[in-house]
Amino acid sequence: MGASENTENLKRTPLYDLHLEMGGKMVPFAGYEMPVQYPMGILTEHQHTRSGAGLFDVSHMGQIKLRGESYAQVAAALERLCPADFLGLAPGQQRYSFFINNAGGILDDLMVTRAGNGDDKDHLLMVVNAACKEQDLSHLQANLNNRCEVEPMFDRGLLALQGPRAAAAMQKIAPESVNMKFMTGRPLNVGGTECFVTRSGYTGEDGFEISVAHDQLDNVARKLLGDMEVKPIGLGARDSLRLEAGLCLYGNDITETTTPVEASLVWAMQKRRREQGGFPGAGIVQRQLAEGPSRKRVGILPEGRAPARAHTEIANEHGEVIGEITSGGFGPTVGGPVAMGYVRADLAAIGTSVQLMVRGKALPAKVAGMPFVPHRYHR
Amino acid sequence: MSEVRYSQEHEWVKLDGDTATIGITHYAQEQLGDVVFVELPEIGKKVEKGKELAMVESVKAASEVYAPVSGEVIEVNSTLTETPATVNEDALGKGWFAKLKVADKGQFATLMDEAAYNKFVEGLH
């Protein structure tokens, strides 16, 4: 403990000064200096997001726009790289998806929104992971440049306002947000600034993600923090919140070596795409859909108090290794340890007894359903 | 009067006769953040100076607590199993981890006193 981290060559979001002002403890994350927590501490920040409203700076994430001569052209282009149905998106509708490789592995996961009014000017707005954004941009440019325009919007920041009090806080400075439903997006004036807002997030709670030009980000963040209910939340609580919500972290729970079928993300590949294919790795994905995968991502609930972290081996009752934890820790709302990981498909049923090999000891655990904390989206 | 000394790994030791009470420092609990789990050694276990004595886990990560002196575990603070947050609330008091019967008191003398430890922590910033 105590060794100071090397912060050379790290990027900063436009909210860097605000984070310091609020006592944020800055750590290196995906090439950025980001707040892991504020003086409230991870546990309290987590609980505040579940009971009030939390504001997260997620400006390190990448935003990319795809546009073309018609919406159909743009949607068809992205369908070449992702197994989701974008042609079927209604104007303003948002969808979770992933870039997939020829082996059916996941290159990155992303949120995609059809922005526009239902005419040829409609385009797609994507939010991708910070650590993957340059690679995603190259991937899009290399594969789609002759089909649509790929426009990086790395001069925009992103705020996430999450929690049961998020809607009330948002309504005060963006009254029209009240009409938005979960997984929709629209341009919206937020406290005098033109933003693009979606009703979505990464905590399992109701909330919004607000895309703002860099030069207005500090202004919008301070307006939201002016509400007594809204507290700044760091990356530490972001991770425990998403884990309790059963949501995947790219690089841990999904990687280039996991397919969407193995990752239990079949729901994010709509029927037409599953049946027709037409995306990289479609043959492998369709074979796994027909025959069943050899392993599956499941929830894991340790029966004792000890958290099981990522890379903990999972064994069956005879001590034979059957998988590995990919995310795990303490769930403050659950009040105990929670985890997710991959297990052999024949041992993936909810309630199956397993053992977690933590520091040389076999700790009892059970395969569990996810989310660990019920989602409370505004549908 | 019993004396308290500190290790570079941020443990404290209080010596009463040949009994050493061991915990982690205020600085250590601050760095860890909210403690959510503590794994204590078994009574009777013999630990060597610098080797793992206990585990402490925060929401963020797991860390080892090392024995600053060698000895045999004679008592553990089992209240930490139920209320691990005691480590945050009172690291130097109610948040103690274990008591050891010390074989070689000379090891205690090589640890830092309070002034030296405070200076050491300052140097980490």
Side-chain angles (χ1 to χ4, degrees):
Chain A
M1 279 176 56
S4 58
E5 308 269 6
N6 182 5
T7 54
E8 274 173 54
N9 305 320
L10 289 175
K11 287 182 269 189
R12 293 171 175 180
T13 79
L15 297 187
Y16 180 79
D17 290 341
L18 179 60
H19 295 313
L20 292 187
E21 196 180 309
M22 297 188 297
K25 184 173 169 186
M26 308 304 281
V27 300
F29 182 83
Y32 283 79
E33 266 183 276
M34 298 298 286
V36 65
Q37 66 173 85
Y38 298 91
M40 249 183 5
I42 295 175
L43 217 53
T44 313
E45 289 172 28
H46 177 111
Q47 279 148 353
H48 185 80
T49 308
R50 292 260 186 259
S51 63
L55 187 72
F56 304 72
D57 177 17
V58 284
S59 300
H60 55 314
M61 300 187 80
Q63 301 179 53
I64 302 170
K65 185 192 285 189
L66 289 189
R67 56 180 180 178
E69 282 164 25
S70 69
Y71 176 72
Q73 182 194 38
V74 174
L78 190 58
E79 285 193 4
R80 296 172 65 86
L81 303 179
C82 302
D85 177 2
F86 300 117
L87 283 164
L89 277 183
Q93 195 185 352
Q94 187 179 38
R95 191 154 267 174
Y96 172 74
S97 189
F98 20 80
F99 294 118
I100 191 164
N101 68 21
N102 287 328
I106 298 172
L107 293 166
D108 192 11
D109 64 344
L110 67 158
M111 296 293 271
V112 184
T113 309
R114 174 175 177 174
N117 302 310
D119 54 36
D120 281 347
K121 280 190 238 158
D122 283 14
H123 51 273
L124 288 175
L125 295 175
M126 294 181 273
V127 178
V128 302
N129 281 298
C132 303
K133 65 185 178 185
E134 298 295 344
Q135 180 194 316
D136 290 344
L137 183 61
S138 307
H139 183 59
L140 286 162
Q141 285 168 336
N143 290 285
L144 304 185
N145 250 358
N146 51 352
R147 296 172 191 275
C148 63
E149 285 175 55
V150 179
E151 192 181 314
M153 303 192 295
F154 295 169
D155 57 348
R156 289 184 78 82
L158 195 66
L159 297 170
L161 181 67
Q162 301 279 296
R165 308 289 297 171
M170 191 70 172
Q171 204 186 334
K172 286 182 196 163
I173 57 170
E176 288 178 77
S177 63
V178 71
N179 298 317
M180 296 179 72
K181 299 275 186 224
F182 180 58
M183 296 298 272
T184 66
R186 54 167 289 183
L188 198 64
N189 185 300
V190 182
T193 302
E194 284 308 321
C195 301
F196 189 87
V197 176
T198 62
R199 195 152 196 170
S200 58
Y202 194 44
T203 61
E205 300 295 328
D206 180 23
F208 301 88
E209 290 200 342
I210 307 158
S211 167
V212 194
H214 272 172
D215 59 359
Q216 289 300 312
L217 195 65
D218 185 86
N219 178 21
V220 174
R222 284 178 198 271
K223 283 210 167 88
L224 290 165
L225 289 163
D227 190 309
M228 288 298 291
E229 294 279 356
V230 179
K231 303 284 183 212
I233 311 295
L235 291 175
R238 184 171 160 82
D239 191 52
S240 55
L241 287 158
R242 69 91 197 166
L243 176 58
E244 283 185 339
L247 302 172
C248 291
L249 172 63
Y250 188 77
N252 276 43
D253 310 305
I254 47 177
T255 69
E256 282 183 37
T257 65
T258 58
T259 73
V261 185
E262 293 165 344
S264 305
L265 296 172
V266 175
W267 58 270
M269 300 185 288
Q270 287 72 27
K271 190 161 177 265
R272 174 175 63 84
R273 304 305 317 280
R274 294 201 301 263
E275 287 174 3
Q276 294 177 0
F279 51 86
I284 291 165
V285 166
Q286 287 171 328
R287 194 171 68 235
Q288 287 189 350
L289 283 167
E291 297 170 7
S294 60
R295 56 176 183 161
K296 271 188 86 173
R297 182 178 65 93
V298 295
I300 302 278
L301 269 180
E303 288 174 10
R305 301 283 303 167
R309 309 276 173 183
H311 309 301
T312 299
E313 279 185 348
I314 307 172
N316 65 10
E317 288 180 304
H318 311 292
E320 186 190 346
V321 175
I322 56 148
E324 189 181 280
I325 299 288
T326 50
S327 282
F330 180 79
T333 306
V334 170
V338 290
M340 64 170 91
Y342 286 81
V343 296
R344 227 167 61 193
D346 61 312
L347 294 164
I350 290 172
T352 304
S353 292
V354 295
Q355 305 187 79
L356 307 177
M357 308 309 291
V358 177
R359 298 187 282 274
K361 280 183 220 153
L363 305 179
K366 283 213 158 60
V367 174
M370 288 192 286
F372 298 109
V373 172
H375 294 158
R376 295 193 288 181
Y377 301 135
H378 184 75
R379 293 187 193 274
Chain B
M1 209 185 107
S2 57
E3 197 189 342
V4 181
R5 295 231 165 199
Y6 303 84
S7 74
Q8 292 198 357
E9 286 74 37
H10 308 284
E11 290 94 15
W12 58 264
V13 194
K14 191 174 80 175
L15 196 64
D16 291 293
D18 60 357
T19 300
T21 306
I22 295 164
I24 65 169
T25 65
H26 180 72
Y27 173 82
Q29 70 78 22
E30 223 171 47
Q31 293 298 306
L32 282 168
D34 302 299
V35 173
V36 296
F37 177 75
V38 170
E39 190 175 284
L40 297 165
E42 280 169 31
I43 308 278
K45 186 184 172 184
K46 289 197 172 77
V47 284
E48 268 178 66
K49 177 185 161 96
K51 294 282 160 63
E52 184 186 318
L53 173 70
M55 285 295 300
V56 57
E57 298 211 20
S58 68
V59 186
K60 269 179 285 178
S63 314
E64 284 101 0
V65 178
Y66 302 105
V69 292
S70 304
E72 183 183 332
V73 178
I74 51 169
E75 198 181 336
V76 295
N77 185 4
S78 48
T79 61
L80 297 186
T81 313
E82 281 308 305
T83 51
T86 310
V87 176
N88 296 113
E89 287 152 16
D90 191 9
L92 299 164
K94 289 181 191 145
W96 64 277
F97 280 66
K99 292 185 183 181
L100 302 187
K101 190 176 177 202
V102 177
D104 174 11
K105 289 189 198 174
Q107 288 179 340
F108 182 78
T110 66
L111 297 168
M112 290 178 275
D113 63 15
E114 191 174 343
Y117 177 69
N118 289 343
K119 209 172 164 189
F120 170 68
V121 167
E122 261 172 52
L124 298 174
H125 293 286

